[in-house]
Structures are given as C-alpha cells and as structure tokens.
Amino acid sequence: MKRILFICMGNICRSPAAEGIMQKKVANQGLEAFFYIDSAGTYGWHEGELPDSRMRKHALRRGYNLTSHSRPITHNDFEQFDLIIGMDDDNIQNLQRRAPNLHSKQKICRMTDFCRIHHADCVPDPYYGGASGFELVLDLLEDACDGLIDQLKLEM
C-alpha cells in the first residue's frame, strides 16, 4: 500500500482538495486497496475544521465531497507516509526543515511535478482570492493527481 500525504499551509483549501480528488480518482479506477491518502498543514491554525466552504462548494460542483478535518503535520507523518507532497515553495521548505532525517527528506516532492497538462511551479493558495482561484487550484490538482496515479501504477 502506498501512503500519500498532501500538504499545504492550513490544510483547509489545497491539501484537502488534493486528498478528495485523489481518493475519488483512485476509487474510480478500483485501486482503493493500494493507497492510503491523507492531508495535513504545516501550521495548525485550523485544526479540527472542515475545508474552507468556498473550496468545498467548488469541489462539489466537480463531484468531490471534501469531508476531512484540518490537522497539522506531525513527526510521525514523516515515518508513516511514503510520499509527502507540498503545494508550493513555502510548504516544501517548511517540510524540508522539519524532516527528521535524510530518508524523510527524500519523501518530499512538489504537487505540480506530477502535472501533465498545466505548466505551473506551484498550486497557488486561493484563500484570499475569488472563484477563479479555486477553479485554477482544482484544475491543477486534477491534472497532478492523474499524473501521480499514472506514475504510481507503473511502480505497482
């Protein structure tokens, strides 16, 4: 089983959307038994909260029901997960600083590295923007999740 952890800053927009999209795409391919998917934030400001209502609304229009509750990343996550996927440079740098060892650092990667259609350096934080920002995030995450699944299927 491949254990994947998606990371953004507060775990209320990008990473729970990535979690929900990945879970649905994996289920649609009948691969649920091969993946454990979760999300967390580099900060715990919103711990216990559902994803941002705007992100839930935009995701639901595309068929993704985001129901996870925000949590901060823990030391144990670096040991328990095979891939720790950050959304932007700040997330990646924070994860690199917090990684307890070289093996843990090698698990960290950027979400947009898996994009096949979109060319982006990061998945931008839509929190302070409008509807178009949430739609862009979903476009990037759908693309990246497709690429991630294809890559992981090659490793199975």
Side-chain angles (χ1 to χ4, degrees):
M1 177 176 281
K2 194 63 117 172
R3 298 177 60 83
I4 302 165
L5 182 63
F6 295 107
I7 300 289
C8 69
M9 186 175 10
N11 191 217
I12 60 167
C13 288
R14 298 170 290 173
S15 57
E19 176 186 358
I21 290 167
M22 186 72 170
Q23 286 172 337
K24 183 164 185 178
K25 288 182 175 287
V26 163
N28 287 347
Q29 295 186 38
L31 299 172
E32 302 101 307
F34 299 100
F35 295 99
Y36 177 80
I37 302 158
D38 197 2
S39 66
T42 55
Y43 296 97
W45 301 315
H46 300 282
E47 187 168 1
E49 293 178 20
L50 284 169
D52 182 272
S53 61
R54 297 164 297 168
M55 180 56 79
R56 289 194 323 254
K57 180 179 83 173
H58 286 274
L60 195 56
R61 286 183 190 150
R62 296 187 188 205
Y64 308 111
N65 189 16
L66 308 183
T67 60
S68 63
H69 288 83
S70 176
R71 71 175 185 87
I73 190 169
T74 67
H75 181 77
N76 288 339
D77 289 329
F78 285 98
E79 299 302 320
Q80 294 178 1
F81 287 89
D82 303 304
L83 285 174
I84 301 173
I85 304 175
M87 300 294 149
D88 62 31
D89 288 342
D90 288 339
N91 303 150
I92 299 294
Q93 290 169 3
N94 195 316
L95 290 167
Q96 293 285 350
R97 281 192 303 271
R98 295 176 71 175
N101 53 47
L102 180 60
H103 178 69
S104 295
K105 284 184 180 185
Q106 293 170 339
K107 297 177 180 185
I108 299 168
C109 55
R110 183 181 325 279
M111 188 71 189
T112 52
D113 290 346
F114 300 101
C115 285
R116 300 176 305 179
I117 299 167
H118 296 89
H119 300 285
D121 293 334
C122 70
V123 178
D125 190 345
Y127 189 80
Y128 293 105
S132 63
F134 288 93
E135 290 298 320
L136 173 62
V137 165
L138 292 170
D139 290 342
L140 292 170
L141 293 176
E142 287 175 334
D143 183 16
C145 285
D146 286 338
L148 176 58
I149 291 169
D150 287 348
Q151 180 174 321
L152 294 174
K153 283 178 12 183
L154 293 174
E155 298 173 10
M156 295 170 96

